[in-house]
Amino acid sequence: MHKCDLDISINKLSKIEGHADLDIKIRNGKAREVNLRVEENRRFYMQAVEGKPALAAPQMVSRICGTCSVAHLTCAIEAVEKALGVKSSEQTIIMRKLMMYSLMIRDHALHLYFFALPDIFGIDSILDLANNKKELIHEALHIKEAGNNLSNLIGGRAVHAPFEVVGGFVNMVDNKKVKPIVKELKSIRKYVLNLAEIFYQCQWELKRDTNFVALTTDDFSFLEGKICDSRGTCTMEKNYGKRLTKVVMPYSQAKGFEFEGSEYMVGSLSRLNLNQGSLREKTKKSMKKYLKLFPSDNIYLNNLAQAIEIMHSIDHSIELLENTEFKKEEIIKPKKQNGKGVGVVEAPRGTLYYSMEIKNGKIKKAGIATPTAQNLLNMREDLRELVSGVCQSANPKNQWEKIIKKQAERIIRAYDPCMSCASHFLKVNWK
Amino acid sequence: MAKKKKRVGIFSFTCDEGCSIFLVEIFNKKLAGWLEKIELVYFLSIKDHTDAKNMDIAVVEGSITSEEDKKRIENIRKNSKILIGMGSCAITGMPSCYRNNLNKEQLKEISGHLKKFKFLPKCMGIKEVVKLDGEVPGCPMDDKKFIEVFEKYI
Ligand code: SF4
């Protein structure tokens, strides 16, 4: 066998949310060191919210991530509500589900079309698609716009939604505007089928035995349920933090997490591996061929899973919108000023955890575990797996470096990582 | 002869990238029309091969918190005729510059990090570091105002 000793550096990984670099040191065919360095400058929101009014905190932490602000907002609201004993109305829960669905539609579409598709077609950016494929750009923008319009209808805006607050929504949904949104959502289903087919055709594979973790909900709504893993255990939301350990990553502005002492994966693939039975019937029918591939250990299938989730988000949104007559409701006020609460939601990239300790109506301590931070160690192990595979392969030795570089970027991209999120992590382990 | 397309770059500095995500939502309806007048030479992380030189318009978001940020924005300013700031971070630094308001104890807690990653003594809006030719306030920026400012220059 040839000796496989290489030092690989990728400066500024492209087509991911935010800024990260990667160094891999390979000796004797094994990745001795894998440094995935998050270069996103920290903004210290976990410190900044200390001492701020609890009711204002969710809008503040929404600014941790513009990409998935709805998930941060919704999750932080849940943590504050649990701490202060606020029980939201049925209509509020429906509206929060719709907000999460609008986020999934927009955000998964952005990732799949803008970040993942160029790899598959071997082009630099989606804007460089050949003329016969140009309609894909229109389909992408159309799907995103439908998600955007749904966000506007319910939350007032797609980024840092102003209507969603502790205790409810400050603005009432205009029932007259519901119908056109439903129509638009129905019109994009066919594009999602095209999209799923592209990822289904893609033959890339990297399989590794790891633990898949996700909040599993009865209706696949990303909002409320138990956190389960593929090793067969389940935890209540409030105990999730206790099962996580923070891990220092050298030279990085981020920290990683272990679940029960080892690396694990959160995200679309985990959700489908653990909970595909809860998808809408209509989604199951349209996506039958694709759903057969799950559960799977192949990390690349995370992208197909995202496409399936777009379809589910469309189908369930349509049902909710068609069956709800929105009414004006008062915001529910907190009954107390002190307490501790945990919020857990499934953000597009996986399980998002907030803990809030509130004293006299102000935040005493806030903690967070973002999906990308939780995935960092799993990515690292996948990259090790990639290296040993390539170093044992029949590819000519002078190609190894090129192959590893190319595939390393693809693997990282398959997770759809978000570095703005990764640079935020728990200050303390909540034991 | 067709008019030469304006060379446009979109850049992000320290922030949550909320304004650029919002810009991508504006693109849903506007991109097709704009691409007849502009060429995107730098587009966040969406393109690999980029050349951020001789730009007609650079659109920027975020705050300047590290030495690296400062070098980068000065370079972009030099390479672009027009610089448009998106969002309140670019104009005032807030909300991304919260660290300026932390108390002594909190500052002590983060001081190691600030030093290790060469953060500046103070976090600043882009406007405090270089001249902005156009400003779009809001968090995220106001979409109508952005369209108005951007279309004035293309
Ligand atoms: S102004 Fe707001 S939305 Fe825009 S980059 Fe700053 S924090 Fe994000």
Side-chain angles (χ1 to χ4, degrees):
Chain A
M1 204 183 89
H2 297 289
K3 205 163 166 230
C4 192
D5 284 353
L6 289 167
D7 290 303
I8 291 178
S9 282
I10 306 177
N11 221 329
K12 208 161 187 326
L13 295 156
S14 75
K15 282 170 266 183
I16 56 171
E17 301 284 353
H19 183 182
D21 298 337
L22 176 69
D23 292 327
I24 310 179
K25 188 172 175 178
I26 305 167
R27 295 292 176 269
N28 262 327
K30 290 260 171 296
R32 178 94 52 84
E33 280 170 34
V34 179
N35 285 323
L36 178 61
R37 287 194 312 277
V38 174
E39 295 284 4
E40 202 69 24
N41 288 323
R42 289 182 63 194
R43 285 161 289 137
F44 309 103
Y45 272 100
M46 289 299 105
Q47 281 82 2
V49 291
E50 287 175 2
K52 297 283 176 335
L55 298 184
Q59 278 292 345
M60 236 176 124
V61 296
S62 173
R63 269 77 185 171
I64 285 179
C65 177
T67 313
C68 64
S69 66
V70 169
H72 284 269
L73 181 64
T74 309
C75 191
I77 287 175
E78 190 191 326
V80 172
E81 289 186 348
K82 296 239 161 98
L84 301 183
V86 176
K87 202 170 171 319
S88 15
S89 75
E90 239 169 80
Q91 178 173 297
T92 295
I93 291 175
I94 291 174
M95 288 169 74
R96 285 189 190 148
K97 285 179 186 172
L98 288 166
M99 281 307 284
M100 291 299 287
Y101 287 142
S102 71
L103 169 64
M104 293 291 165
I105 296 170
R106 288 169 34 232
D107 195 13
H108 281 348
L110 178 67
H111 172 71
L112 292 176
Y113 285 102
F114 285 79
F115 294 164
L117 271 193
D119 274 344
I120 292 189
F121 291 126
I123 49 176
D124 175 28
S125 108
I126 181 172
L127 301 177
D128 304 331
L129 278 173
N131 276 334
N132 61 350
K133 294 229 166 55
K134 279 258 191 282
E135 78 279 358
L136 279 173
I137 301 178
H138 298 287
E139 295 181 7
L141 298 177
H142 206 133
I143 295 179
K144 279 180 63 269
E145 181 65 4
N148 187 32
N149 288 337
L150 180 59
S151 294
N152 286 337
L153 175 77
I154 310 287
R157 196 166 52 211
V159 179
H160 309 318
F163 299 163
E164 201 181 338
V165 298
V166 173
F169 282 78
V170 291
N171 202 63
M172 202 192 111
V173 178
D174 182 350
N175 284 300
K176 285 197 298 297
K177 290 196 180 146
V178 170
K179 243 200 183 146
I181 303 268
V182 169
K183 195 169 157 216
E184 190 175 33
L185 287 169
K186 286 183 176 164
S187 76
I188 56 171
R189 286 188 98 250
K190 53 182 184 293
Y191 305 146
V192 184
L193 287 171
N194 290 345
L195 182 65
E197 184 63 26
I198 295 173
F199 288 97
Y200 178 74
Q201 296 290 341
C202 172
Q203 304 286 329
W204 299 338
E205 193 176 278
L206 184 97
K207 286 189 171 174
R208 193 174 60 80
D209 180 25
T210 189
N211 199 5
F212 294 94
V213 177
L215 177 76
T216 57
T217 51
D218 298 342
D219 57 357
F220 215 102
S221 68
F222 310 104
L223 218 52
E224 192 72 53
K226 279 190 307 241
I227 295 142
C228 297
D229 67 280
S230 53
R231 308 258 198 263
T233 68
C234 288
T235 327
M236 299 218 295
E237 291 191 5
K238 66 175 200 285
N239 296 328
Y240 184 55
K242 293 183 192 142
R243 303 182 73 182
L244 303 182
T245 324
K246 197 167 62 181
V247 177
V248 176
M249 321 249 330
Y251 320 112
S252 175
Q253 301 219 26
K255 292 200 167 76
F257 286 94
E258 285 179 342
F259 175 79
E260 295 293 332
S262 45
E263 83 280 1
Y264 61 111
M265 194 264 169
V266 295
S268 300
L269 178 58
S270 293
R271 293 190 286 254
L272 274 191
N273 280 349
L274 293 160
N275 198 25
Q276 70 158 281
S278 302
L279 293 167
R280 294 328 272 177
E281 286 310 316
K282 192 161 182 208
T283 312
K284 283 187 199 161
K285 228 165 127 194
S286 309
M287 294 275 160
K288 200 166 162 206
K289 169 167 124 189
Y290 311 126
L291 282 167
K292 284 197 187 124
L293 299 182
F294 301 92
S296 169
D297 280 345
N298 180 8
I299 188 63
Y300 286 113
L301 283 184
N302 192 47
N303 293 152
L304 180 59
Q306 288 178 303
I308 294 168
E309 287 188 337
I310 296 181
M311 192 62 107
H312 165 82
S313 300
I314 293 170
D315 289 342
H316 200 193
S317 296
I318 293 173
E319 276 179 50
L320 292 172
L321 289 170
E322 284 182 334
N323 296 316
T324 311
E325 177 71 27
F326 293 96
K327 291 190 284 290
K328 181 150 181 57
E329 285 186 342
E330 291 298 316
I331 301 292
I332 299 170
K333 297 249 157 54
K335 292 195 195 66
K336 44 182 193 168
Q337 295 291 307
N338 299 297
K340 268 190 191 182
V342 164
V344 180
V345 302
E346 282 294 317
R349 293 158 190 79
T351 314
L352 173 63
Y353 165 94
Y354 268 91
S355 59
M356 298 275 191
E357 190 179 339
I358 300 168
K359 214 173 159 198
N360 299 326
K362 300 211 165 101
I363 303 291
K364 189 163 172 237
K365 223 178 239 163
I368 184 175
T370 64
T372 297
Q374 295 178 73
N375 274 334
L376 287 174
L377 296 175
N378 208 59
M379 287 180 205
R380 192 164 80 180
E381 293 314 307
D382 279 355
L383 293 171
R384 280 190 215 281
E385 184 83 15
L386 162 75
V387 165
S388 12
V390 175
C391 286
Q392 282 167 27
S393 69
N395 293 306
K397 197 180 172 186
N398 60 6
Q399 306 255 320
W400 283 347
E401 179 165 352
K402 212 172 119 207
I403 296 171
I404 292 174
K405 268 194 174 168
K406 197 161 154 195
Q407 296 193 6
E409 279 212 75
R410 269 191 210 158
I411 288 170
I412 292 170
R413 235 172 255 148
Y415 283 84
D416 185 11
C418 170
M419 301 307 162
S420 308
C421 282
S423 66
H424 290 84
F425 42 82
L426 289 168
K427 271 172 35 182
V428 281
N429 283 325
W430 285 59
K431 292 277 176 195
Chain B
M1 201 181 86
K3 228 171 117 193
K4 220 171 130 227
K5 286 189 181 182
K6 291 263 161 54
R7 289 169 56 84
V8 176
I10 302 165
F11 304 85
S12 185
F13 290 83
T14 299
C15 66
D16 69 344
E17 282 152 46
C19 283
S20 59
I21 289 291
F22 204 51
L23 173 60
V24 177
E25 296 298 347
I26 297 173
F27 278 171
N28 294 340
K29 285 211 196 92
K30 286 283 183 182
L31 185 64
W34 283 346
L35 281 178
E36 284 167 20
K37 294 185 180 170
I38 64 166
E39 179 197 351
L40 284 173
V41 293
Y42 192 100
F43 187 2
L44 304 159
S45 49
I46 288 174
K47 278 165 71 81
D48 259 342
H49 306 286
T50 45
D51 109 70
K53 293 220 170 79
N54 300 320
M55 289 176 287
D56 295 294
I57 305 168
V59 181
V60 294
E61 71 174 341
S63 66
I64 304 301
T65 203
S66 65
E67 287 175 17
E68 183 64 35
D69 278 348
K70 188 157 178 279
K71 260 190 252 151
R72 251 181 84 222
I73 189 66
E74 283 165 350
N75 193 31
I76 289 167
R77 177 69 267 193
K78 261 188 241 143
N79 278 289
S80 182
K81 291 193 196 100
I82 298 293
L83 195 66
I84 300 175
M86 297 190 283
S88 76
C89 291
I91 302 169
T92 69
M94 289 301 272
S96 287
C97 285
Y98 263 118
R99 74 168 163 102
N100 293 344
N101 303 334
L102 296 182
N103 63 34
K104 260 210 193 107
E105 216 172 284
Q106 292 170 318
L107 281 175
K108 216 172 119 200
E109 193 183 305
I110 65 168
S111 64
H113 190 93
L114 298 186
K115 214 169 137 199
K116 184 167 168 197
F117 291 97
K118 299 207 172 85
F119 278 48
L120 297 163
K122 188 178 125 219
C123 172
M124 292 170 283
I126 291 175
K127 194 181 171 181
E128 205 177 317
V129 183
V130 294
K131 179 173 160 258
L132 289 179
D133 303 293
E135 296 176 15
V136 189
C139 175
M141 64 169 172
D142 183 90
D143 45 351
K144 289 190 196 76
K145 174 88 186 176
F146 177 82
I147 294 169
E148 182 198 310
V149 172
F150 189 64
E151 291 191 335
K152 188 169 97 191
Y153 291 112
I154 60 174

